[in-house]
Amino acid sequence: MNFDWSWTLTWEIMPRLLWATANTLLAAGAGYAIALVGGLIFALAQRAAFGPIRWAVREFVEFIRSTPLVLQIFFVFYVAPQFGIQLSPWTSGLLAIGLHYSAYLSEVYRGGLEAVPRGQWEACRAINMSARDTYFRIIIPQALVPAVPGMGNYLVGILKDTPMLSVIGVMELMHAANSIGSEHYRYLEPFTLVGLIFFLISLPTAGLVKLLERRLRLGLGL
Amino acid sequence: MPIWEFLQKYSSVLMHGTWVTCLQFVLAVLVAVSVALVMGIGKLSANPLIRGTCVVYIELFRGTSLLVQLYWIFFVLPLFGITLPNFTAGFISVGLNYGAYGAELVRGAIQAVPRGQWEAATALSMSPFARMRRIVLPQAIAIMLPPWGNLLIELLKGTALVSLISVTDLMFQAKQINASTYLSAQAFGTALIIYYLFARVLITPSMRWAEHAVARRLGRS
Amino acid sequence: MNVSKSYGKLNVIEHLNFDVAEGEMVSIIGPSGSGKTTVLRTLMTLETINDGVIYVEGKPLTHMAKGGVLVPADERYLRRMRTSIGMCFQSFNLFPHMTALQNCMEGPVQVLGLSKKEARERSEELLHMVGMIDKRGQHPSRLSGGQQQRVAIARALAMRPKVMLFDEVTSALDPEVIGEVTNVIRKLVTEHNLTMLMVTHQMGFARDISDRVCFFYGGKIEEQGTPHELFGSPQRERTKQFLSAVKEAV
């Protein structure tokens, strides 16, 4: 057993890891922003009046949910250029992770939308509200409340999936740890520190999500 | 290259990769289910030491990333004298990670078994072990099967990461083909479809079947 | 046989002194929240007591003697003592993943170590006694409330307990099936020499079959006596109030 933690190395690589942490947070945040919007589009498309659209979107969402994210990342990164679209690692990475979580969030939204009582739609019809206003002013605000726990879970989920972006060269935490490891021939410190950093971010985030959920419930008198 | 020509040329490599993915999946499921049962039941223990250990395990594996755990187990664990070949390190990491998520499903399901069932078993003087094995777990399994179906699909997707420590699974083979031929759409596209079929044709229907079987045993169907 | 206990429990039950003789049928009545059910649950050791000792046949139930003093009993001792007590619940609590017969066989096989054959014979005999032999292969979800409760009685009896506890066994039943359960209990009273404690809301039934009726109020026995005494000429004001309120409701 040659377990000897090097504090010198720890302090030496810390700045690089912290800088990479910023990138990880950026990737998670941007990916989540894409997913928030994309998920809503998928969810609403599954309520479209035109049957084939509903079916196609439903199957697409299922497809994305049941295939590995890391494979999707590769797919976007390598296949887009075949069609003449050059994407940077960052762009294709965010696109892939954003799309992946759009599928998950659309399920969460769908559950929320289905939880809104029929009477709410009928009330909107009764006061002659437009479809747009019905959705954005009445239905979606109510659908969000039951959706918040699921949305929070996937925020933590997306954070923990960002290391996969390292496979196409996005300079986030895992990528930094990998290159530090191969430069110094030491994996103990970088990988352990990365694990620690993830733990220190995801645990409070999960706690925060729970707090927010309770606040929201209290605020809406539920 | 047309897709059928591509398939003709690379099907044997892709089949081999699929077979390795199958093995990784089955072995990881075995690890995950055992870990989930031990940790999920342990988290409900009256003994604070056992409970604490389980909470730490669950939070640790859920709070860090699967890829971090995989690299840690493969690259760092040898420093502690535990060297695992990449195939073993692969399914063990995946199993340990999803086992932590499964433990929460086990705990939730056990707690969802009505209080009266515990009391009736106690009134029959059953030992805590017999009560858990004969009365509570069979009912908890019926409760937790649907969420386990989702977790198994997540676990299948998780096995794709073992390619990053050079386990020659489906993902790995797709990457290899891509690197040598630049047929990215064909290579990755085929792999995506195989994963999809694995999930939709194998996992989902067998979980449905299991749910039905359990429901029948409860006399509910 | 001799059950006596005295204990204090955070206002639920306060310093209760209570003896039941062997073969006696005691009914416990009283308003909800008066601690009636708690008495049965402490006897079944489903609730712990904070103070005092319960004796069953002269042996402490939830304590054991160690070096001359009584200490709280360990799980093994508790399990041994529990075998002499059987209980039926308001909500039946049959095991949903087992048939009626399997429900009855579970205790004898798993706890008493009987062979499957012996357990089956014993269980079938009891299912016959409660009139459920034809439904032995059915799961609880296929049985009516009254049928489930009769199976639950058979399941408890299959352990050959010396004391049977009935906790509001008819409260969750539709009125028209209450009779099939009370008839079984009636049969037990006339044909077997079991010691029984029954918490019930059915005054008529309690009056018919009990040797003694206890009226609980605020965690204490407010009044007790033969059914004739208690229902015929209650002494205490609260008993009178309770009985007249019940009468009005009927």
Side-chain angles (χ1 to χ4, degrees), chain C residues 1-37:
Chain C
M1 205 200 89
N2 185 351
V3 184
S4 76
K5 51 196 159 57
S6 58
Y7 50 94
K9 190 176 190 302
L10 239 157
N11 295 334
V12 181
I13 290 171
E14 278 181 77
H15 300 288
L16 176 71
N17 253 301
F18 192 38
D19 286 284
V20 179
E22 189 176 344
E24 194 179 13
M25 171 73 186
V26 179
S27 289
I28 301 174
I29 61 170
S32 51
S34 60
K36 331 180 277 290
T37 290

mmCIF file of all heavy atoms in Angstrom, chain C residues 1-37:
data_model
loop_
_atom_site.group_PDB
_atom_site.id
_atom_site.type_symbol
_atom_site.label_atom_id
_atom_site.label_comp_id
_atom_site.label_asym_id
_atom_site.label_seq_id
_atom_site.Cartn_x
_atom_site.Cartn_y
_atom_site.Cartn_z
ATOM 1 N N MET C 1 -54.197 -18.563 35.404
ATOM 2 C CA MET C 1 -53.583 -17.457 34.676
ATOM 3 C C MET C 1 -53.927 -16.111 35.287
ATOM 4 O O MET C 1 -54.991 -15.950 35.843
ATOM 5 C CB MET C 1 -54.042 -17.481 33.213
ATOM 6 C CG MET C 1 -53.016 -16.793 32.382
ATOM 7 S SD MET C 1 -53.561 -16.229 30.823
ATOM 8 C CE MET C 1 -54.121 -14.644 31.314
ATOM 9 N N ASN C 2 -53.028 -15.242 35.128
ATOM 10 C CA ASN C 2 -53.148 -14.013 35.888
ATOM 11 C C ASN C 2 -52.460 -12.865 35.159
ATOM 12 O O ASN C 2 -51.268 -12.878 34.979
ATOM 13 C CB ASN C 2 -52.473 -14.253 37.254
ATOM 14 C CG ASN C 2 -52.660 -13.081 38.161
ATOM 15 O OD1 ASN C 2 -53.148 -12.025 37.734
ATOM 16 N ND2 ASN C 2 -52.279 -13.247 39.403
ATOM 17 N N VAL C 3 -53.232 -11.932 34.683
ATOM 18 C CA VAL C 3 -52.625 -10.767 34.046
ATOM 19 C C VAL C 3 -52.819 -9.575 34.957
ATOM 20 O O VAL C 3 -53.941 -9.236 35.307
ATOM 21 C CB VAL C 3 -53.281 -10.445 32.697
ATOM 22 C CG1 VAL C 3 -52.566 -9.287 32.030
ATOM 23 C CG2 VAL C 3 -53.273 -11.657 31.799
ATOM 24 N N SER C 4 -51.758 -9.023 35.377
ATOM 25 C CA SER C 4 -51.920 -7.782 36.138
ATOM 26 C C SER C 4 -50.878 -6.791 35.681
ATOM 27 O O SER C 4 -49.774 -7.167 35.321
ATOM 28 C CB SER C 4 -51.763 -8.054 37.632
ATOM 29 O OG SER C 4 -50.409 -8.218 37.930
ATOM 30 N N LYS C 5 -51.259 -5.561 35.642
ATOM 31 C CA LYS C 5 -50.282 -4.558 35.215
ATOM 32 C C LYS C 5 -50.603 -3.215 35.838
ATOM 33 O O LYS C 5 -51.750 -2.888 36.111
ATOM 34 C CB LYS C 5 -50.251 -4.437 33.700
ATOM 35 C CG LYS C 5 -51.611 -4.235 33.088
ATOM 36 C CD LYS C 5 -51.578 -4.502 31.611
ATOM 37 C CE LYS C 5 -52.929 -4.805 31.038
ATOM 38 N NZ LYS C 5 -53.922 -3.792 31.250
ATOM 39 N N SER C 6 -49.573 -2.488 36.040
ATOM 40 C CA SER C 6 -49.772 -1.125 36.515
ATOM 41 C C SER C 6 -48.674 -0.296 35.903
ATOM 42 O O SER C 6 -47.514 -0.646 35.960
ATOM 43 C CB SER C 6 -49.676 -1.065 38.034
ATOM 44 O OG SER C 6 -48.419 -1.553 38.432
ATOM 45 N N TYR C 7 -49.057 0.722 35.239
ATOM 46 C CA TYR C 7 -48.025 1.527 34.580
ATOM 47 C C TYR C 7 -48.558 2.924 34.302
ATOM 48 O O TYR C 7 -49.746 3.194 34.292
ATOM 49 C CB TYR C 7 -47.564 0.875 33.280
ATOM 50 C CG TYR C 7 -48.665 0.473 32.350
ATOM 51 C CD1 TYR C 7 -49.081 1.329 31.335
ATOM 52 C CD2 TYR C 7 -49.295 -0.759 32.483
ATOM 53 C CE1 TYR C 7 -50.090 0.956 30.488
ATOM 54 C CE2 TYR C 7 -50.304 -1.135 31.635
ATOM 55 C CZ TYR C 7 -50.704 -0.279 30.642
ATOM 56 O OH TYR C 7 -51.698 -0.651 29.808
ATOM 57 N N GLY C 8 -47.633 3.800 34.034
ATOM 58 C CA GLY C 8 -48.017 5.156 33.680
ATOM 59 C C GLY C 8 -47.543 5.421 32.267
ATOM 60 O O GLY C 8 -46.471 4.988 31.875
ATOM 61 N N LYS C 9 -48.357 6.058 31.482
ATOM 62 C CA LYS C 9 -47.911 6.325 30.103
ATOM 63 C C LYS C 9 -48.479 7.666 29.682
ATOM 64 O O LYS C 9 -49.669 7.817 29.480
ATOM 65 C CB LYS C 9 -48.396 5.230 29.160
ATOM 66 C CG LYS C 9 -47.757 5.336 27.799
ATOM 67 C CD LYS C 9 -48.195 4.168 26.935
ATOM 68 C CE LYS C 9 -47.408 4.090 25.657
ATOM 69 N NZ LYS C 9 -47.489 5.283 24.837
ATOM 70 N N LEU C 10 -47.610 8.603 29.571
ATOM 71 C CA LEU C 10 -47.911 9.969 29.179
ATOM 72 C C LEU C 10 -49.378 10.280 28.914
ATOM 73 O O LEU C 10 -49.777 10.498 27.769
ATOM 74 C CB LEU C 10 -47.092 10.324 27.940
ATOM 75 C CG LEU C 10 -46.159 11.523 28.124
ATOM 76 C CD1 LEU C 10 -45.033 11.452 27.127
ATOM 77 C CD2 LEU C 10 -46.896 12.838 28.038
ATOM 78 N N ASN C 11 -50.171 10.271 29.943
ATOM 79 C CA ASN C 11 -51.579 10.667 29.842
ATOM 80 C C ASN C 11 -52.447 9.748 28.993
ATOM 81 O O ASN C 11 -53.651 9.897 28.953
ATOM 82 C CB ASN C 11 -51.733 12.093 29.271
ATOM 83 C CG ASN C 11 -51.148 13.116 30.208
ATOM 84 O OD1 ASN C 11 -51.077 12.870 31.417
ATOM 85 N ND2 ASN C 11 -50.721 14.232 29.680
ATOM 86 N N VAL C 12 -51.835 8.845 28.241
ATOM 87 C CA VAL C 12 -52.665 7.923 27.474
ATOM 88 C C VAL C 12 -53.298 6.933 28.439
ATOM 89 O O VAL C 12 -54.491 6.699 28.435
ATOM 90 C CB VAL C 12 -51.843 7.181 26.402
ATOM 91 C CG1 VAL C 12 -52.738 6.250 25.611
ATOM 92 C CG2 VAL C 12 -51.178 8.186 25.480
ATOM 93 N N ILE C 13 -52.445 6.378 29.271
ATOM 94 C CA ILE C 13 -52.943 5.485 30.307
ATOM 95 C C ILE C 13 -52.201 5.833 31.591
ATOM 96 O O ILE C 13 -50.979 5.928 31.598
ATOM 97 C CB ILE C 13 -52.684 4.013 29.947
ATOM 98 C CG1 ILE C 13 -53.576 3.610 28.784
ATOM 99 C CG2 ILE C 13 -52.942 3.114 31.142
ATOM 100 C CD1 ILE C 13 -53.256 2.270 28.236
ATOM 101 N N GLU C 14 -52.939 6.072 32.645
ATOM 102 C CA GLU C 14 -52.284 6.473 33.879
ATOM 103 C C GLU C 14 -52.500 5.458 34.986
ATOM 104 O O GLU C 14 -53.627 5.151 35.338
ATOM 105 C CB GLU C 14 -52.818 7.845 34.330
ATOM 106 C CG GLU C 14 -52.134 8.991 33.614
ATOM 107 C CD GLU C 14 -52.670 10.316 34.094
ATOM 108 O OE1 GLU C 14 -52.279 10.731 35.200
ATOM 109 O OE2 GLU C 14 -53.498 10.902 33.392
ATOM 110 N N HIS C 15 -51.394 4.960 35.485
ATOM 111 C CA HIS C 15 -51.399 4.059 36.639
ATOM 112 C C HIS C 15 -52.587 3.120 36.648
ATOM 113 O O HIS C 15 -53.477 3.214 37.492
ATOM 114 C CB HIS C 15 -51.333 4.860 37.943
ATOM 115 C CG HIS C 15 -50.096 5.685 37.996
ATOM 116 N ND1 HIS C 15 -48.850 5.134 38.185
ATOM 117 C CD2 HIS C 15 -49.914 7.009 37.834
ATOM 118 C CE1 HIS C 15 -47.949 6.090 38.162
ATOM 119 N NE2 HIS C 15 -48.557 7.240 37.932
ATOM 120 N N LEU C 16 -52.572 2.253 35.659
ATOM 121 C CA LEU C 16 -53.693 1.349 35.499
ATOM 122 C C LEU C 16 -53.420 0.054 36.253
ATOM 123 O O LEU C 16 -52.366 -0.554 36.096
ATOM 124 C CB LEU C 16 -53.879 1.064 34.008
ATOM 125 C CG LEU C 16 -54.949 0.071 33.627
ATOM 126 C CD1 LEU C 16 -56.321 0.651 33.863
ATOM 127 C CD2 LEU C 16 -54.776 -0.316 32.173
ATOM 128 N N ASN C 17 -54.336 -0.359 37.072
ATOM 129 C CA ASN C 17 -54.241 -1.642 37.754
ATOM 130 C C ASN C 17 -55.350 -2.527 37.259
ATOM 131 O O ASN C 17 -56.523 -2.164 37.337
ATOM 132 C CB ASN C 17 -54.383 -1.455 39.274
ATOM 133 C CG ASN C 17 -53.052 -1.655 39.945
ATOM 134 O OD1 ASN C 17 -52.467 -2.734 39.823
ATOM 135 N ND2 ASN C 17 -52.580 -0.627 40.624
ATOM 136 N N PHE C 18 -54.974 -3.662 36.766
ATOM 137 C CA PHE C 18 -55.944 -4.396 35.990
ATOM 138 C C PHE C 18 -55.602 -5.875 36.046
ATOM 139 O O PHE C 18 -54.489 -6.273 35.750
ATOM 140 C CB PHE C 18 -55.853 -3.864 34.547
ATOM 141 C CG PHE C 18 -56.963 -4.300 33.649
ATOM 142 C CD1 PHE C 18 -58.273 -4.416 34.103
ATOM 143 C CD2 PHE C 18 -56.705 -4.579 32.310
ATOM 144 C CE1 PHE C 18 -59.285 -4.792 33.250
ATOM 145 C CE2 PHE C 18 -57.716 -4.958 31.457
ATOM 146 C CZ PHE C 18 -59.014 -5.069 31.928
ATOM 147 N N ASP C 19 -56.553 -6.708 36.473
ATOM 148 C CA ASP C 19 -56.339 -8.158 36.496
ATOM 149 C C ASP C 19 -57.368 -8.845 35.632
ATOM 150 O O ASP C 19 -58.529 -8.459 35.609
ATOM 151 C CB ASP C 19 -56.505 -8.700 37.930
ATOM 152 C CG ASP C 19 -55.323 -8.324 38.773
ATOM 153 O OD1 ASP C 19 -54.275 -8.973 38.594
ATOM 154 O OD2 ASP C 19 -55.441 -7.381 39.586
ATOM 155 N N VAL C 20 -56.916 -9.866 34.940
ATOM 156 C CA VAL C 20 -57.852 -10.691 34.179
ATOM 157 C C VAL C 20 -57.629 -12.126 34.592
ATOM 158 O O VAL C 20 -56.498 -12.605 34.619
ATOM 159 C CB VAL C 20 -57.631 -10.543 32.657
ATOM 160 C CG1 VAL C 20 -58.608 -11.419 31.896
ATOM 161 C CG2 VAL C 20 -57.789 -9.091 32.235
ATOM 162 N N ALA C 21 -58.698 -12.821 34.934
ATOM 163 C CA ALA C 21 -58.571 -14.210 35.365
ATOM 164 C C ALA C 21 -58.555 -15.131 34.161
ATOM 165 O O ALA C 21 -59.010 -14.767 33.078
ATOM 166 C CB ALA C 21 -59.728 -14.574 36.291
ATOM 167 N N GLU C 22 -58.028 -16.341 34.366
ATOM 168 C CA GLU C 22 -57.967 -17.303 33.272
ATOM 169 C C GLU C 22 -59.369 -17.641 32.790
ATOM 170 O O GLU C 22 -60.273 -17.865 33.586
ATOM 171 C CB GLU C 22 -57.257 -18.569 33.746
ATOM 172 C CG GLU C 22 -56.977 -19.504 32.616
ATOM 173 C CD GLU C 22 -56.175 -20.720 33.079
ATOM 174 O OE1 GLU C 22 -55.597 -20.671 34.173
ATOM 175 O OE2 GLU C 22 -56.139 -21.693 32.319
ATOM 176 N N GLY C 23 -59.539 -17.641 31.472
ATOM 177 C CA GLY C 23 -60.821 -17.992 30.891
ATOM 178 C C GLY C 23 -61.852 -16.883 30.948
ATOM 179 O O GLY C 23 -62.993 -17.075 30.545
ATOM 180 N N GLU C 24 -61.454 -15.739 31.423
ATOM 181 C CA GLU C 24 -62.415 -14.646 31.547
ATOM 182 C C GLU C 24 -62.555 -13.895 30.221
ATOM 183 O O GLU C 24 -61.612 -13.786 29.450
ATOM 184 C CB GLU C 24 -61.932 -13.665 32.631
ATOM 185 C CG GLU C 24 -63.017 -12.690 33.071
ATOM 186 C CD GLU C 24 -62.529 -11.737 34.159
ATOM 187 O OE1 GLU C 24 -61.307 -11.660 34.410
ATOM 188 O OE2 GLU C 24 -63.375 -11.054 34.756
ATOM 189 N N MET C 25 -63.762 -13.418 29.953
ATOM 190 C CA MET C 25 -63.999 -12.597 28.770
ATOM 191 C C MET C 25 -64.265 -11.182 29.247
ATOM 192 O O MET C 25 -65.271 -10.916 29.899
ATOM 193 C CB MET C 25 -65.218 -13.141 28.016
ATOM 194 C CG MET C 25 -65.701 -12.250 26.898
ATOM 195 S SD MET C 25 -64.568 -12.318 25.508
ATOM 196 C CE MET C 25 -65.224 -11.104 24.419
ATOM 197 N N VAL C 26 -63.336 -10.283 28.934
ATOM 198 C CA VAL C 26 -63.470 -8.909 29.403
ATOM 199 C C VAL C 26 -63.660 -7.986 28.212
ATOM 200 O O VAL C 26 -62.904 -8.037 27.246
ATOM 201 C CB VAL C 26 -62.212 -8.462 30.192
ATOM 202 C CG1 VAL C 26 -62.355 -7.024 30.647
ATOM 203 C CG2 VAL C 26 -61.976 -9.381 31.370
ATOM 204 N N SER C 27 -64.700 -7.161 28.262
ATOM 205 C CA SER C 27 -64.904 -6.170 27.218
ATOM 206 C C SER C 27 -64.470 -4.807 27.728
ATOM 207 O O SER C 27 -64.688 -4.482 28.902
ATOM 208 C CB SER C 27 -66.378 -6.090 26.820
ATOM 209 O OG SER C 27 -66.741 -7.243 26.124
ATOM 210 N N ILE C 28 -63.850 -4.051 26.844
ATOM 211 C CA ILE C 28 -63.429 -2.704 27.211
ATOM 212 C C ILE C 28 -64.205 -1.735 26.337
ATOM 213 O O ILE C 28 -64.160 -1.820 25.109
ATOM 214 C CB ILE C 28 -61.913 -2.528 27.010
ATOM 215 C CG1 ILE C 28 -61.145 -3.540 27.870
ATOM 216 C CG2 ILE C 28 -61.494 -1.113 27.343
ATOM 217 C CD1 ILE C 28 -59.646 -3.527 27.634
ATOM 218 N N ILE C 29 -64.941 -0.838 26.955
ATOM 219 C CA ILE C 29 -65.700 0.154 26.202
ATOM 220 C C ILE C 29 -65.267 1.543 26.650
ATOM 221 O O ILE C 29 -64.573 1.683 27.661
ATOM 222 C CB ILE C 29 -67.231 -0.019 26.388
ATOM 223 C CG1 ILE C 29 -67.585 0.161 27.867
ATOM 224 C CG2 ILE C 29 -67.682 -1.382 25.880
ATOM 225 C CD1 ILE C 29 -69.080 0.250 28.114
ATOM 226 N N GLY C 30 -65.673 2.535 25.902
ATOM 227 C CA GLY C 30 -65.334 3.896 26.289
ATOM 228 C C GLY C 30 -65.208 4.775 25.062
ATOM 229 O O GLY C 30 -65.162 4.284 23.936
ATOM 230 N N PRO C 31 -65.178 6.103 25.269
ATOM 231 C CA PRO C 31 -65.073 7.017 24.132
ATOM 232 C C PRO C 31 -63.719 6.885 23.432
ATOM 233 O O PRO C 31 -62.770 6.362 24.012
ATOM 234 C CB PRO C 31 -65.232 8.399 24.765
ATOM 235 C CG PRO C 31 -64.879 8.227 26.189
ATOM 236 C CD PRO C 31 -65.227 6.816 26.554
ATOM 237 N N SER C 32 -63.638 7.363 22.181
ATOM 238 C CA SER C 32 -62.363 7.260 21.479
ATOM 239 C C SER C 32 -61.332 8.165 22.145
ATOM 240 O O SER C 32 -61.659 9.202 22.700
ATOM 241 C CB SER C 32 -62.525 7.634 20.003
ATOM 242 O OG SER C 32 -63.175 8.874 19.899
ATOM 243 N N GLY C 33 -60.098 7.708 22.129
ATOM 244 C CA GLY C 33 -59.036 8.452 22.786
ATOM 245 C C GLY C 33 -58.949 8.185 24.273
ATOM 246 O O GLY C 33 -58.221 8.850 24.986
ATOM 247 N N SER C 34 -59.700 7.180 24.744
ATOM 248 C CA SER C 34 -59.677 6.914 26.182
ATOM 249 C C SER C 34 -58.591 5.914 26.552
ATOM 250 O O SER C 34 -58.431 5.559 27.701
ATOM 251 C CB SER C 34 -61.046 6.400 26.635
ATOM 252 O OG SER C 34 -61.359 5.208 25.955
ATOM 253 N N GLY C 35 -57.846 5.426 25.557
ATOM 254 C CA GLY C 35 -56.737 4.521 25.855
ATOM 255 C C GLY C 35 -57.103 3.052 25.804
ATOM 256 O O GLY C 35 -56.286 2.217 26.176
ATOM 257 N N LYS C 36 -58.316 2.714 25.315
ATOM 258 C CA LYS C 36 -58.714 1.299 25.293
ATOM 259 C C LYS C 36 -57.788 0.481 24.405
ATOM 260 O O LYS C 36 -57.287 -0.571 24.805
ATOM 261 C CB LYS C 36 -60.150 1.103 24.751
ATOM 262 C CG LYS C 36 -61.114 2.220 24.963
ATOM 263 C CD LYS C 36 -62.465 1.885 24.376
ATOM 264 C CE LYS C 36 -62.596 2.145 22.885
ATOM 265 N NZ LYS C 36 -62.608 3.550 22.504
ATOM 266 N N THR C 37 -57.600 1.000 23.178
ATOM 267 C CA THR C 37 -56.770 0.265 22.239
ATOM 268 C C THR C 37 -55.332 0.163 22.722
ATOM 269 O O THR C 37 -54.684 -0.864 22.556
ATOM 270 C CB THR C 37 -56.836 0.943 20.857
ATOM 271 O OG1 THR C 37 -58.137 0.728 20.319
ATOM 272 C CG2 THR C 37 -55.820 0.375 19.899
#
